[in-house]
Amino acid sequence: MTIVLSVMNFMKNKTVNKKLSYKVIMVPYVVWLAVFIVVPLALILGFSFTDLSGNFTFDNIINVGKYSNVFLNSIWLGFLSTLICFILGYPMAYFISKIDSSKQNIIIMVLMIPMWMSFLLRTYAWMTILENNGLLNSFLRTLGFNGLSLINTQGAIILGMVYNFIPYMVLQIYSVLIKIDNSLIEAAHDLGANRVMTFIKIIFPLSIPGVISGVTMVFVPAVSTFIISKMLGGGANLLIGDLIEMQFLGNTYNPNLGSAISLFLIVLILICMGIMNQFDNDDSRDKNIVI
């Protein structure tokens, strides 16, 4: 009996010590969470519902409605860039997943190399290419064609978004495609399904989680970006990120209104992520039924 009690006390002490060690390990994360997430969100909330004098007000929230066209424009351009990234990225990810593993690593590295450079530098490069006297127009004039007005347009903004964010789409879809069990594809072929039906019934449904992750990782930064629209759009196509920057760094300095706009942007992103997660959960249930 004494031995049993000793063992029970030992196990109890071991469990308590393990819980304490977990709490100690979590301390840096909790501090990081508080300093870089909780505190900034609290400041945004505080500024959103106060004026420049620190008095409580709803004026900032009400004034956000004046910029509904900016929100709609940002969502529209974000949607178009996300759609293009999906249309271009899915075939690319599918191709990479089907080649030899040694070649896969090389292509993934090539895809990642531009991301090693500064985001700002990559956008400057596109300015050099698209401007009126840039590389593309100079080449067209050399061939005898008239130059095109490419810079400071919505097309240039979408191009910049697609170029900068398409690796996120490709990598997310690729990471799911390479995990699909080949026996499922072989079984579909044995049952008489051709390649098109196999893709529609097996491959694409199983890759939906990667598509959802890719859409989220492209749409969120596309909606909130400001460097791309500022440099390639020339300020003529104002997006949410540009609007927030103007409130904090522009001549119309109003951090309270900027915080209110940021709050609406956070809510918009959370809603989009919630919708994407809902699709992902529905797909996971359907996928389990199929399997």
Side-chain angles (χ1 to χ4, degrees):
M1 187 67 180
T2 304
I3 297 175
V4 173
L5 291 175
S6 300
V7 172
M8 291 178 63
N9 290 330
F10 174 77
M11 295 300 294
K12 183 177 180 181
N13 293 332
K14 186 176 180 180
T15 303
V16 172
N17 292 333
K18 185 179 292 185
K19 291 181 179 179
L20 290 175
S21 63
Y22 286 154
K23 291 181 179 179
V24 172
I25 293 173
M26 290 177 61
V27 168
Y29 173 74
V30 173
V31 173
W32 178 278
L33 184 69
V35 173
F36 293 102
I37 296 180
V38 176
V39 172
L41 287 177
L43 290 174
I44 290 175
L45 284 172
F47 276 96
S48 298
F49 293 96
T50 55
D51 56 19
L52 294 175
S53 301
N55 300 317
F56 181 82
T57 180
F58 285 105
D59 291 343
N60 299 316
I61 303 298
I62 296 173
N63 290 332
V64 173
K66 298 178 181 179
Y67 304 99
S68 58
N69 59 327
V70 177
F71 277 82
L72 293 175
N73 190 41
S74 300
I75 294 172
W76 173 243
L77 293 182
F79 169 76
L80 288 179
S81 60
T82 303
L83 180 62
I84 295 173
C85 284
F86 169 71
I87 293 173
L88 298 177
Y90 196 100
M92 189 184 304
Y94 182 79
F95 169 76
I96 297 173
S97 67
K98 293 301 180 182
I99 62 177
D100 296 336
S101 58
S102 59
K103 296 180 181 179
Q104 288 181 13
N105 295 331
I106 296 174
I107 296 178
I108 292 297
M109 182 178 294
V110 172
L111 185 67
M112 294 291 295
I113 284 176
M115 299 180 67
W116 298 349
M117 295 184 293
S118 169
F119 185 90
L120 188 63
L121 183 62
R122 299 199 304 269
T123 309
Y124 265 121
W126 275 109
M127 288 182 63
T128 305
I129 295 172
L130 299 177
E131 62 186 0
N132 295 331
N133 295 320
L135 297 177
L136 183 57
N137 277 325
S138 298
F139 177 72
L140 291 175
R141 294 189 182 99
T142 302
L143 296 177
F145 298 101
N146 294 326
L148 300 175
S149 180
L150 302 173
I151 199 71
N152 300 335
T153 62
Q154 288 190 351
I157 296 174
I158 293 174
L159 178 61
M161 289 181 179
V162 171
Y163 172 76
N164 283 288
F165 302 139
I166 194 171
Y168 301 118
M169 181 71 73
V170 174
L171 292 176
Q172 292 299 317
I173 297 175
Y174 163 78
S175 64
V176 174
L177 287 175
I178 60 173
K179 296 177 182 178
I180 295 178
D181 192 350
N182 287 328
S183 62
L184 295 174
I185 300 175
E186 294 174 358
H189 290 161
D190 292 339
L191 293 173
N194 56 28
R195 291 186 177 182
V196 176
M197 291 302 298
T198 301
F199 176 80
I200 295 174
K201 296 293 185 178
I202 303 296
I203 298 176
F204 185 75
L206 293 179
S207 66
I208 289 296
V211 174
I212 297 299
S213 298
V215 167
T216 303
M217 294 192 68
V218 172
F219 182 76
V220 170
V223 169
S224 58
T225 186
F226 67 96
I227 288 296
I228 295 176
S229 57
K230 185 176 183 179
M231 297 176 66
L232 299 182
N237 298 277
L238 196 66
L239 300 184
I240 300 176
D242 304 303
L243 187 61
I244 294 173
E245 184 193 27
M246 289 171 56
Q247 306 305 318
F248 286 94
L249 300 177
N251 295 327
T252 58
Y253 179 75
N254 191 344
N256 302 87
L257 179 58
S259 298
I261 299 171
S262 301
L263 183 62
F264 270 81
L265 178 59
I266 292 172
V267 173
L268 173 63
I269 291 174
L270 290 177
I271 292 173
C272 294
M273 293 181 66
I275 294 173
M276 292 295 103
N277 289 334
Q278 186 62 40
F279 280 118
D280 194 9
N281 292 336
D282 291 341
D283 176 74
S284 297
R285 290 192 292 267
D286 295 338
K287 183 176 68 176
N288 292 332
I289 294 173
V290 172
I291 293 175

